Coordinates of all heavy atoms in Angstrom, one line a residue:
Chain B
Y256 N -8.2 26.8 -4.9 CA -8.2 25.3 -5.2 C -9.3 24.8 -4.3 O -9.3 25.0 -3.1 CB -6.9 24.7 -4.9 CG -6.8 23.2 -5.0 CD1 -6.8 22.6 -6.3 CD2 -6.8 22.4 -3.9 CE1 -6.8 21.2 -6.4 CE2 -6.7 21.0 -4.0 CZ -6.7 20.4 -5.2 OH -6.6 19.1 -5.3
F257 N -10.3 24.0 -4.9 CA -11.5 23.6 -4.1 C -11.7 22.1 -4.3 O -12.3 21.7 -5.3 CB -12.7 24.4 -4.6 CG -12.5 25.9 -4.5 CD1 -11.9 26.6 -5.5 CD2 -12.9 26.5 -3.3 CE1 -11.8 28.0 -5.4 CE2 -12.8 27.9 -3.2 CZ -12.2 28.6 -4.2
P258 N -11.3 21.3 -3.3 CA -11.5 19.8 -3.4 C -12.7 19.4 -2.6 O -13.2 20.1 -1.7 CB -10.2 19.3 -2.8 CG -9.8 20.3 -1.7 CD -10.3 21.7 -2.3
W259 N -13.2 18.3 -3.0 CA -14.3 17.6 -2.2 C -13.7 16.3 -1.7 O -13.1 15.6 -2.5 CB -15.5 17.4 -3.1 CG -16.3 18.6 -3.4 CD1 -16.2 19.5 -4.4 CD2 -17.5 19.1 -2.6 NE1 -17.1 20.5 -4.3 CE2 -17.9 20.2 -3.2 CE3 -18.1 18.6 -1.5 CZ2 -19.0 21.0 -2.8 CZ3 -19.2 19.3 -1.0 CH2 -19.7 20.5 -1.7
Y260 N -14.1 16.0 -0.5 CA -13.7 14.7 0.1 C -14.9 13.9 0.6 O -15.9 14.5 1.0 CB -12.8 15.0 1.4 CG -11.4 15.5 1.0 CD1 -11.1 16.8 0.8 CD2 -10.3 14.6 0.9 CE1 -9.8 17.3 0.5 CE2 -9.0 15.0 0.6 CZ -8.8 16.4 0.4 OH -7.5 16.8 0.0
Q261 N -14.7 12.6 0.5 CA -15.8 11.7 1.0 C -15.2 11.0 2.2 O -14.0 10.5 2.2 CB -16.1 10.7 -0.1 CG -17.1 9.6 0.3 CD -17.1 8.5 -0.8 OE1 -16.1 7.9 -1.1 NE2 -18.3 8.3 -1.4
Q262 N -16.0 10.9 3.3 CA -15.5 10.2 4.5 C -16.5 9.2 5.0 O -17.6 9.6 5.2 CB -15.1 11.2 5.6 CG -14.4 10.6 6.8 CD -14.0 11.7 7.8 OE1 -14.6 12.7 7.9 NE2 -12.9 11.4 8.5
F263 N -16.0 8.0 5.2 CA -16.8 7.0 5.9 C -16.5 6.9 7.3 O -15.4 7.3 7.7 CB -16.6 5.6 5.2 CG -17.1 5.5 3.8 CD1 -16.2 5.6 2.7 CD2 -18.4 5.4 3.5 CE1 -16.6 5.6 1.4 CE2 -18.9 5.4 2.2 CZ -18.0 5.5 1.1
P264 N -17.4 6.4 8.2 CA -17.2 6.4 9.6 C -15.9 5.7 10.0 O -15.6 4.6 9.5 CB -18.4 5.7 10.2 CG -19.5 6.0 9.2 CD -18.8 6.0 7.8
G265 N -15.1 6.3 10.8 CA -13.8 5.7 11.3 C -12.7 5.7 10.3 O -11.6 5.2 10.5
K266 N -12.9 6.4 9.1 CA -11.9 6.4 8.1 C -11.4 7.9 7.9 O -12.1 8.8 8.3 CB -12.4 5.9 6.8 CG -13.0 4.5 6.9 CD -12.0 3.4 7.2 CE -12.6 2.0 7.2 NZ -11.6 1.0 7.5
G267 N -10.3 8.0 7.2 CA -9.8 9.3 6.8 C -10.6 9.8 5.6 O -11.1 9.1 4.8
P268 N -10.6 11.2 5.3 CA -11.2 11.7 4.1 C -10.5 11.2 2.9 O -9.3 11.2 2.8 CB -11.1 13.2 4.3 CG -10.8 13.4 5.8 CD -10.0 12.2 6.2
A269 N -11.3 10.9 1.9 CA -10.7 10.5 0.6 C -11.1 11.5 -0.5 O -12.2 11.9 -0.6 CB -11.3 9.1 0.2
L270 N -10.1 11.9 -1.2 CA -10.3 12.9 -2.3 C -11.2 12.4 -3.4 O -11.0 11.3 -3.9 CB -9.0 13.3 -2.9 CG -9.1 14.4 -4.0 CD1 -9.5 15.7 -3.5 CD2 -7.8 14.5 -4.8
L271 N -12.3 13.2 -3.7 CA -13.2 12.8 -4.7 C -12.9 13.5 -6.0 O -12.8 12.8 -7.1 CB -14.6 13.2 -4.3 CG -15.5 12.2 -3.6 CD1 -16.9 12.8 -3.4 CD2 -15.7 10.9 -4.5
I272 N -12.9 14.8 -6.0 CA -12.8 15.6 -7.2 C -12.4 17.0 -6.7 O -12.7 17.4 -5.6 CB -14.1 15.6 -8.0 CG1 -14.0 16.3 -9.3 CG2 -15.3 16.2 -7.1 CD1 -15.3 16.2 -10.2
A273 N -11.7 17.7 -7.6 CA -11.3 19.1 -7.2 C -11.4 20.0 -8.4 O -11.3 19.5 -9.6 CB -9.9 19.1 -6.7
I274 N -11.5 21.3 -8.2 CA -11.6 22.3 -9.2 C -10.8 23.6 -8.9 O -10.6 23.9 -7.7 CB -13.1 22.6 -9.5 CG1 -13.3 23.2 -10.8 CG2 -13.7 23.5 -8.3 CD1 -14.8 23.3 -11.2
R275 N -10.4 24.3 -9.9 CA -9.8 25.6 -9.8 C -10.8 26.6 -10.4 O -11.6 26.3 -11.2 CB -8.5 25.6 -10.5 CG -7.4 24.7 -9.9 CD -6.1 25.0 -10.4 NE -5.1 24.0 -9.8 CZ -4.6 24.1 -8.6 NH1 -4.8 25.2 -7.8 NH2 -3.7 23.2 -8.2
P276 N -10.7 27.9 -10.0 CA -11.7 28.9 -10.3 C -11.7 29.3 -11.8 O -12.6 30.0 -12.2 CB -11.4 30.1 -9.5 CG -10.3 29.7 -8.6 CD -9.8 28.4 -8.9
D277 N -10.7 28.8 -12.6 CA -10.7 29.2 -14.0 C -11.6 28.3 -14.8 O -11.8 28.6 -16.0 CB -9.3 29.1 -14.5 CG -8.6 27.8 -14.3 OD1 -9.1 27.0 -13.5 OD2 -7.5 27.5 -14.9
V278 N -12.3 27.3 -14.2 CA -13.3 26.5 -14.9 C -14.6 26.6 -14.2 O -14.6 26.7 -13.0 CB -12.8 25.0 -15.2 CG1 -11.6 25.0 -16.0 CG2 -12.6 24.4 -13.8
S279 N -15.7 26.4 -14.9 CA -17.0 26.5 -14.2 C -17.6 25.2 -13.9 O -18.5 25.1 -13.1 CB -18.0 27.3 -15.1 OG -18.1 26.6 -16.4
E280 N -17.1 24.1 -14.5 CA -17.6 22.8 -14.2 C -16.5 21.7 -14.5 O -15.7 21.8 -15.4 CB -18.8 22.5 -15.1 CG -19.5 21.2 -14.8 CD -20.8 21.1 -15.5 OE1 -21.8 21.7 -15.2 OE2 -20.8 20.3 -16.5
K281 N -16.6 20.7 -13.6 CA -15.7 19.6 -13.8 C -16.4 18.3 -13.5 O -17.1 18.2 -12.4 CB -14.4 19.7 -12.9 CG -13.4 18.6 -13.1 CD -12.2 18.8 -12.3 CE -11.1 17.7 -12.6 NZ -9.9 18.0 -11.8
K282 N -16.3 17.3 -14.3 CA -17.0 16.1 -14.1 C -16.1 14.9 -14.1 O -15.2 14.8 -15.0 CB -18.1 15.9 -15.3 CG -18.9 14.7 -15.2 CD -20.0 14.6 -16.3 CE -20.9 13.4 -16.2 NZ -21.9 13.4 -17.2
E283 N -16.3 14.0 -13.1 CA -15.5 12.8 -13.1 C -16.5 11.7 -12.7 O -17.0 11.6 -11.6 CB -14.4 12.8 -12.1 CG -13.3 13.7 -12.5 CD -12.1 13.7 -11.5 OE1 -12.1 13.0 -10.5 OE2 -11.1 14.5 -11.8
G284 N -16.9 10.8 -13.7 CA -17.8 9.8 -13.5 C -19.2 10.3 -13.1 O -19.7 11.2 -13.8
R285 N -19.7 9.9 -11.9 CA -21.0 10.4 -11.5 C -20.9 11.7 -10.6 O -21.9 12.2 -10.2 CB -21.6 9.3 -10.6 CG -22.0 8.0 -11.4 CD -22.7 7.0 -10.5 NE -21.9 6.5 -9.4 CZ -22.2 6.8 -8.2 NH1 -23.1 7.6 -7.8 NH2 -21.4 6.2 -7.2
F286 N -19.7 12.2 -10.4 CA -19.5 13.4 -9.6 C -19.2 14.6 -10.5 O -18.3 14.5 -11.3 CB -18.3 13.1 -8.6 CG -18.6 11.9 -7.7 CD1 -18.1 10.7 -8.0 CD2 -19.3 12.1 -6.5 CE1 -18.3 9.6 -7.2 CE2 -19.6 11.0 -5.7 CZ -19.1 9.8 -6.0
T287 N -19.9 15.7 -10.2 CA -19.7 16.9 -10.9 C -19.6 18.1 -9.9 O -20.3 18.2 -9.0 CB -20.9 17.2 -11.9 OG1 -21.0 16.1 -12.8 CG2 -20.6 18.5 -12.6
I288 N -18.6 18.9 -10.2 CA -18.4 20.2 -9.4 C -18.9 21.3 -10.3 O -18.4 21.4 -11.5 CB -17.0 20.5 -8.9 CG1 -16.5 19.4 -8.0 CG2 -17.0 21.8 -8.2 CD1 -15.0 19.6 -7.6
S289 N -19.8 22.2 -9.8 CA -20.1 23.4 -10.5 C -19.5 24.6 -9.7 O -19.6 24.6 -8.5 CB -21.6 23.6 -10.6 OG -22.2 22.5 -11.4
F290 N -18.9 25.5 -10.4 CA -18.2 26.6 -9.7 C -18.7 28.0 -10.2 O -18.8 28.2 -11.4 CB -16.7 26.5 -9.9 CG -15.9 27.4 -9.0 CD1 -15.5 26.9 -7.8 CD2 -15.6 28.6 -9.4 CE1 -14.8 27.7 -6.9 CE2 -14.8 29.5 -8.6 CZ -14.4 29.0 -7.3
N291 N -19.1 28.8 -9.3 CA -19.5 30.2 -9.6 C -18.6 31.2 -8.9 O -18.8 31.5 -7.8 CB -21.0 30.4 -9.2 CG -21.5 31.7 -9.7 OD1 -20.8 32.7 -9.8 ND2 -22.8 31.8 -9.9
K292 N -17.6 31.7 -9.7 CA -16.6 32.5 -9.1 C -17.2 33.8 -8.6 O -16.8 34.3 -7.5 CB -15.5 32.8 -10.1 CG -14.3 33.5 -9.5 CD -13.2 33.6 -10.5 CE -12.0 34.4 -10.0 NZ -10.9 34.5 -11.0
S293 N -18.1 34.4 -9.3 CA -18.6 35.8 -8.9 C -19.5 35.7 -7.7 O -19.5 36.6 -6.8 CB -19.5 36.3 -10.1 OG -20.6 35.5 -10.4
A294 N -20.2 34.5 -7.5 CA -21.0 34.3 -6.3 C -20.2 33.7 -5.2 O -20.7 33.6 -4.0 CB -22.2 33.4 -6.6
K295 N -19.0 33.3 -5.4 CA -18.1 32.6 -4.4 C -18.8 31.4 -3.9 O -18.9 31.2 -2.7 CB -17.7 33.6 -3.4 CG -16.8 34.7 -3.9 CD -16.1 35.5 -2.8 CE -17.1 36.4 -2.2 NZ -16.6 37.4 -1.1
Q296 N -19.4 30.6 -4.8 CA -20.1 29.4 -4.4 C -19.6 28.2 -5.3 O -19.3 28.4 -6.5 CB -21.6 29.6 -4.6 CG -22.1 30.6 -3.6 CD -23.6 30.9 -3.8 OE1 -24.2 30.5 -4.8 NE2 -24.3 31.5 -2.9
F297 N -19.7 27.0 -4.8 CA -19.4 25.8 -5.6 C -20.3 24.7 -5.0 O -20.7 24.7 -3.8 CB -17.9 25.5 -5.7 CG -17.2 25.3 -4.4 CD1 -16.8 24.0 -4.0 CD2 -17.0 26.3 -3.5 CE1 -16.2 23.8 -2.8 CE2 -16.3 26.1 -2.3 CZ -15.9 24.8 -2.0
S298 N -20.6 23.7 -5.9 CA -21.4 22.7 -5.4 C -21.0 21.3 -6.0 O -20.3 21.3 -7.0 CB -22.9 22.9 -5.8 OG -23.0 23.0 -7.3
L299 N -21.4 20.3 -5.3 CA -21.1 18.9 -5.7 C -22.4 18.2 -6.1 O -23.4 18.3 -5.3 CB -20.4 18.1 -4.6 CG -20.2 16.6 -4.9 CD1 -19.1 16.5 -6.0 CD2 -19.8 15.9 -3.6
H300 N -22.5 17.7 -7.3 CA -23.6 16.9 -7.7 C -23.2 15.4 -7.8 O -22.2 15.1 -8.5 CB -24.1 17.3 -9.1 CG -24.7 18.7 -9.1 ND1 -24.1 19.9 -8.7 CD2 -26.0 19.1 -9.4 CE1 -24.8 20.9 -8.8 NE2 -26.0 20.5 -9.2
I301 N -24.0 14.5 -7.1 CA -23.8 13.1 -7.3 C -24.9 12.6 -8.0 O -26.1 12.5 -7.6 CB -23.7 12.4 -5.9 CG1 -22.6 13.1 -5.0 CG2 -23.3 10.9 -6.1 CD1 -22.6 12.6 -3.6
M302 N -24.6 12.1 -9.3 CA -25.7 11.6 -10.1 C -25.9 10.1 -9.9 O -25.0 9.4 -9.4 CB -25.3 11.8 -11.6 CG -24.7 13.2 -11.9 SD -26.0 14.5 -11.6 CE -27.1 14.2 -13.0
D303 N -27.1 9.7 -10.1 CA -27.4 8.2 -10.0 C -26.9 7.7 -8.6 O -26.1 6.7 -8.5 CB -26.8 7.4 -11.1 CG -27.2 6.0 -11.2 OD1 -28.3 5.6 -10.6 OD2 -26.4 5.2 -11.7
S304 N -27.3 8.4 -7.6 CA -26.8 8.0 -6.2 C -27.0 6.6 -5.9 O -28.1 6.0 -6.2 CB -27.5 8.9 -5.2 OG -27.1 10.3 -5.4
Q305 N -26.0 6.0 -5.2 CA -26.1 4.6 -4.9 C -26.0 4.4 -3.3 O -25.4 5.3 -2.7 CB -25.0 3.8 -5.5 CG -25.0 3.8 -7.1 CD -26.3 3.1 -7.6 OE1 -26.6 2.0 -7.2 NE2 -27.0 3.8 -8.5
P306 N -26.5 3.3 -2.8 CA -26.3 3.2 -1.3 C -24.9 3.2 -0.8 O -24.6 3.7 0.3 CB -26.9 1.8 -1.1 CG -27.9 1.6 -2.1 CD -27.4 2.3 -3.4
G307 N -23.9 2.8 -1.7 CA -22.5 2.9 -1.3 C -22.0 4.3 -1.3 O -20.9 4.6 -0.8
D308 N -22.8 5.3 -1.7 CA -22.4 6.7 -1.6 C -22.7 7.3 -0.3 O -22.4 8.4 0.0 CB -23.1 7.5 -2.7 CG -22.7 7.1 -4.1 OD1 -21.6 6.6 -4.3 OD2 -23.6 7.3 -5.1
S309 N -23.5 6.5 0.5 CA -23.8 7.0 1.9 C -22.6 7.3 2.7 O -21.8 6.3 3.0 CB -24.7 6.0 2.6 OG -25.9 5.8 1.9
A310 N -22.3 8.5 3.0 CA -21.1 8.9 3.7 C -21.2 10.4 4.0 O -22.3 11.0 3.7 CB -19.9 8.8 2.7
T311 N -20.2 11.0 4.6 CA -20.2 12.4 4.9 C -19.2 13.1 3.9 O -18.1 12.6 3.6 CB -19.7 12.7 6.3 OG1 -20.5 12.1 7.3 CG2 -19.6 14.2 6.6
Y312 N -19.7 14.1 3.3 CA -19.0 14.8 2.2 C -18.5 16.2 2.8 O -19.3 16.9 3.4 CB -19.8 15.0 1.0 CG -20.1 13.6 0.3 CD1 -21.1 12.8 0.8 CD2 -19.3 13.2 -0.7 CE1 -21.4 11.6 0.3 CE2 -19.6 11.9 -1.3 CZ -20.6 11.1 -0.8 OH -20.8 9.9 -1.4
F313 N -17.3 16.5 2.5 CA -16.7 17.8 2.9 C -16.2 18.6 1.7 O -15.5 18.0 0.9 CB -15.5 17.6 3.9 CG -15.9 17.0 5.2 CD1 -15.8 15.7 5.5 CD2 -16.4 17.9 6.2 CE1 -16.1 15.2 6.7 CE2 -16.7 17.4 7.5 CZ -16.6 16.0 7.7
C314 N -16.6 19.8 1.6 CA -15.9 20.7 0.7 C -14.8 21.4 1.4 O -14.7 21.4 2.7 CB -16.9 21.8 0.1 SG -17.5 22.9 1.4
A315 N -13.8 21.9 0.7 CA -12.6 22.5 1.3 C -12.1 23.5 0.3 O -12.5 23.6 -0.9 CB -11.6 21.5 1.6

Side-chain angles (χ1 to χ4, degrees):
Chain B
Y256 176 74
F257 302 89
W259 284 89
Y260 287 86
Q261 177 190 58
Q262 187 175 30
F263 294 104
K266 307 292 185 182
L270 179 69
L271 266 180
I272 185 173
I274 198 168
R275 295 192 185 278
D277 53 346
V278 299
S279 60
E280 185 174 283
K281 182 174 181 180
K282 182 176 181 179
E283 289 185 1
R285 297 185 293 109
F286 301 94
T287 299
I288 300 178
S289 298
F290 191 89
N291 186 329
K292 186 175 180 179
S293 61
K295 294 189 286 185
Q296 295 175 347
F297 57 110
S298 61
L299 176 70
H300 291 61
I301 306 173
M302 314 299 287
D303 187 26
S304 296
Q305 299 296 313
D308 296 332
S309 297
T311 300
Y312 294 81
F313 291 96
C314 63

